[in-house]
Amino acid sequence: MKYNPLGSTGLLVSEFCLGTMTFGGKNDPMSSLMGALDQREASKIIEEALDAGINFIDTANVYGVGESEEIIGETLKQKRHDVVIATKVGFRMGSGPNQVGLSRKHIIREVEESLRRLQTDYIDLLQIHRPDSLTEWEETLRALDDLVTSGKIRYKGASNLQGWQIMKANDTSRRLGLERFKSFQSYYSLVGREAEREIIPVVKDQNMGLLIWSPLAGGFLTGKYAKGTEGGADGRRMKFQFPPIHLEKGYAILEVLQEVADIHQSTVPQIALAWLLHQPAVTSVILGAKREEQLRENLGAAELTLTNDQLLRIDEISKLQPEYPLWDPMAYTADRYPV
């Protein structure tokens, strides 16, 4: 297992992070769709991940309606300081009008609840789960900074923002002398490369860690959804079409991935994950799993080295169409250099 620095923090995290959306919430319809693993099942997956060298676990207060954090806390009681724990705040956690969002009231209450569920006195990385149009950035950022100062969180990160929002938040933090976002969690996959337009350039410019969620596009890149197949009756995408995918392009990408997988005697998801590990901006790729064998298979991607020709072929079939103002990136800079 390789370890990469989380932005400018000096903190080293494993190139694969264990995602825990599949943990807990058996009575919640959305959690049941994701897996709703109980304590025993989830603990086995956590132990499998730790044995493989993973030192980074990602969760959220909303996963399993709080049960995901409870499962992690119970499993890691004796190993807390060996693991970097990331959680999130922002989604609705109750029916009350203030049980959602990024207000100081909601953030501080939910951090206290997360600490209780995780059975710890600090969170390594607290991430805002999504933007909140009703709360000013200064309110949110000051609340997060107070939590850093108090020692309840070590670093703050963000997820699911637009590029301009990341820059606005970081600029506000600098102006006010506050801790800025040290990481960003983004959807990024071979069938969803939109993060390359603004998010990845911003993350690189701001020296932030980049954490990838849904690297297999909600199961599409497992290969079981190839054209002409149904993906199995229990396939998540058969019930929940997320993230959205351009299917015809997706099928073409799967064909290329299968050909490359055959060369390496590996699997389609392993090639899709290996491609992400070859992207220099990526710090850690979040892997969710319902079974130990599924996690083991995906971890095998770390052992694959794709050739330049293979990377080029995968890039060609999956790359984005140019958009304004970057129809031709060199058009605005070419004449700035001596002929």
Side-chain angles (χ1 to χ4, degrees), residues 284-298:
S284 190
V285 177
I286 300 170
L287 298 178
K290 295 181 183 178
R291 303 177 305 279
E292 293 171 80
E293 57 270 25
Q294 181 185 17
L295 178 62
R296 282 195 292 270
E297 177 190 345
N298 289 340

Side-chain angles (χ1 to χ4, degrees), residues 105-122:
K105 179 179 177 67
H106 184 66
I107 289 173
I108 292 177
R109 173 182 169 79
E110 286 306 315
V111 165
E112 296 288 356
E113 288 297 300
S114 289
L115 290 170
R116 178 185 59 80
R117 289 189 290 257
L118 289 165
Q119 300 187 44
T120 185
D121 57 1
Y122 71 97

Side-chain angles (χ1 to χ4, degrees), residues 173-211:
S173 292
R174 289 191 181 93
R175 179 169 51 83
L176 298 174
L178 307 177
E179 288 290 315
R180 64 183 181 85
F181 289 138
K182 301 297 187 181
S183 67
F184 187 77
Q185 190 173 138
S186 175
Y187 170 55
Y188 187 34
S189 79
L190 277 168
V191 290
R193 293 177 60 176
E194 290 83 1
E196 293 174 2
R197 298 202 190 280
E198 289 190 1
I199 289 172
I200 289 178
V202 167
V203 165
K204 289 168 68 176
D205 177 79
Q206 296 293 293
N207 196 15
M208 297 166 66
L210 179 62
L211 316 177

Side-chain angles (χ1 to χ4, degrees), residues 65-182:
V65 198
E67 286 185 39
S68 176
E69 290 181 330
E70 290 178 351
I71 289 169
I72 293 166
E74 186 64 25
T75 305
L76 295 180
K77 281 194 292 189
Q78 306 303 319
K79 302 177 181 180
R80 169 64 187 98
H81 299 299
D82 298 327
V83 181
V84 176
I85 297 178
T87 191
K88 309 181 195 75
V89 63
F91 273 89
R92 179 165 289 283
M93 290 299 290
S95 59
N98 292 311
Q99 289 181 287
V100 63
L102 297 174
S103 67
R104 175 181 292 271
K105 179 179 177 67
H106 184 66
I107 289 173
I108 292 177
R109 173 182 169 79
E110 286 306 315
V111 165
E112 296 288 356
E113 288 297 300
S114 289
L115 290 170
R116 178 185 59 80
R117 289 189 290 257
L118 289 165
Q119 300 187 44
T120 185
D121 57 1
Y122 71 97
I123 292 163
D124 293 289
L125 176 64
L126 179 69
Q127 304 157 102
I128 61 168
H129 210 155
R130 62 179 182 181
D132 177 5
S133 61
L134 297 184
T135 307
E136 289 187 351
W137 275 115
E138 183 172 338
E139 167 88 359
T140 297
L141 296 169
R142 284 194 185 277
L144 294 172
D145 200 72
D146 287 347
L147 289 167
V148 173
T149 302
S150 69
K152 292 181 178 179
I153 69 175
R154 298 294 190 251
Y155 309 101
K156 58 187 186 184
S159 181
N160 300 319
L161 304 181
Q162 296 178 62
W164 70 267
Q165 291 172 316
I166 301 172
M167 288 299 298
K168 182 173 182 178
N170 277 354
D171 182 66
T172 301
S173 292
R174 289 191 181 93
R175 179 169 51 83
L176 298 174
L178 307 177
E179 288 290 315
R180 64 183 181 85
F181 289 138
K182 301 297 187 181

Side-chain angles (χ1 to χ4, degrees), residues 15-33:
E15 63 182 341
F16 280 125
C17 172
L18 180 63
T20 61
M21 190 183 282
T22 58
F23 295 1
K26 65 180 179 181
N27 295 320
D28 175 61
M30 180 59 72
S31 300
S32 296
L33 188 62

